[in-house]
Amino acid sequence: MAEWFKSFLSSLGATDWVIVAVIFLLVVLLLVKHGRPSIRKLTARDDVRGYALIYADQKQGRKGEEDFGKLLYSAKYELQGKPDYVFRSRFGGKIVPVELKSGSIDEEKEPHHGDFLQLGAYFLILEDVYGKRPAFGRIVYQDYMFEIKNTAKVRNEVLGTMKEMREMLQYGVGKPKNSFAHCRPCVCNGTVCPFSETEIEGELE
């Protein structure tokens, strides 16, 4: 086997070596890309280096902001929303949504689930509105931020949640997903929610 491989290498010409080198480089790049975690926790910042701000949910007081503050609507997914910021790369036109949160995340390793689904919904809206699928987006808390890749898993979870919500609205029936991770940041936790994992002290009037 070794002799065959040596013979094969010696038979390669200059053009063949270039092709081999290009294929090897592509394999390395794919391995690096897919080896990165889908969610990364980083130091908080509200801009994206190398990207220009093209949309904000409120006007910034500068020229060329006619679309700022407008509700973005996706007819394809029947979704609408107003991301805090949308950035576009100066080269290639890549789109990145950034969602700002007023609270802190402390030592949590992942964003609140509702915030995660919100960013995932913006992935779908921006894909339809701008004609480009965002590669990633950010959820920025006061102390840290999460950079989240727009993977098939994220997409499927958002679409599945949308389907459940629409069935609840249509039929009035839904399955609660009460858990510590889901309930802890919810404003209804320990108050009006009958599925809360936090015990309610006293009686609600």
Side-chain angles (χ1 to χ4, degrees):
M1 184 69 178
E3 292 297 327
W4 175 87
F5 188 66
K6 289 180 181 178
S7 176
F8 170 74
L9 291 179
S10 63
S11 67
L12 294 177
T15 303
D16 297 324
W17 276 110
V18 171
I19 295 173
V20 170
V22 170
I23 293 174
F24 177 76
L25 181 61
L26 289 174
V27 170
V28 171
L29 290 174
L30 285 172
L31 290 174
V32 170
K33 180 179 179 180
H34 291 287
R36 294 174 181 171
S38 58
I39 299 179
R40 295 195 301 161
K41 188 176 183 180
L42 305 166
T43 303
R45 58 181 303 141
D46 60 3
D47 65 336
V48 184
R49 290 176 180 172
Y51 288 68
L53 183 67
I54 62 168
Y55 173 89
D57 66 341
Q58 297 181 9
K59 293 186 181 295
Q60 310 291 301
R62 297 178 296 187
K63 292 182 179 180
E65 296 183 349
E66 292 79 7
D67 293 333
F68 282 31
K70 289 186 178 180
L71 191 67
L72 302 182
Y73 174 69
S74 166
K76 180 178 180 180
Y77 298 105
E78 295 183 353
L79 283 173
Q80 61 185 18
K82 295 169 64 176
D84 286 318
Y85 295 139
V86 178
F87 291 88
R88 181 164 55 200
S89 63
R90 294 182 173 87
F91 302 99
K94 296 179 181 179
I95 301 295
V96 177
V98 174
E99 191 63 17
L100 308 178
K101 300 299 175 183
S102 58
S104 299
I105 199 68
D106 300 322
E107 300 304 316
E108 297 289 336
K109 295 182 179 180
E110 293 187 353
H112 298 319
H113 192 65
D115 299 338
F116 169 83
L117 290 175
Q118 182 184 22
L119 182 66
Y122 288 146
F123 284 154
L124 298 178
I125 293 172
L126 297 181
E127 176 187 327
D128 195 19
V129 171
Y130 291 102
K132 285 184 175 289
R133 184 174 179 178
F136 69 93
R138 289 177 176 175
I139 302 174
V140 183
Y141 295 93
Q142 291 297 308
D143 48 357
Y144 294 99
M145 72 177 183
F146 292 93
E147 187 170 281
I148 301 173
K149 292 171 65 176
N150 186 10
T151 62
K153 183 178 180 181
V154 173
R155 186 186 190 88
N156 291 336
E157 184 168 354
V158 173
L159 291 173
T161 303
M162 287 167 49
K163 181 180 178 182
E164 291 179 6
M165 293 174 64
R166 285 166 179 166
E167 288 177 349
M168 289 175 62
L169 291 172
Q170 183 176 359
Y171 303 111
V173 178
K175 296 180 180 179
K177 294 184 178 179
N178 53 312
S179 67
F180 178 79
H182 286 82
C183 296
R184 189 183 68 81
C186 181
V187 295
C188 299
N189 186 27
T191 54
V192 298
C193 179
F195 303 105
S196 171
E197 289 204 338
T198 301
E199 293 185 2
I200 301 175
E201 296 183 3
E203 296 182 359
L204 296 176
E205 297 182 357

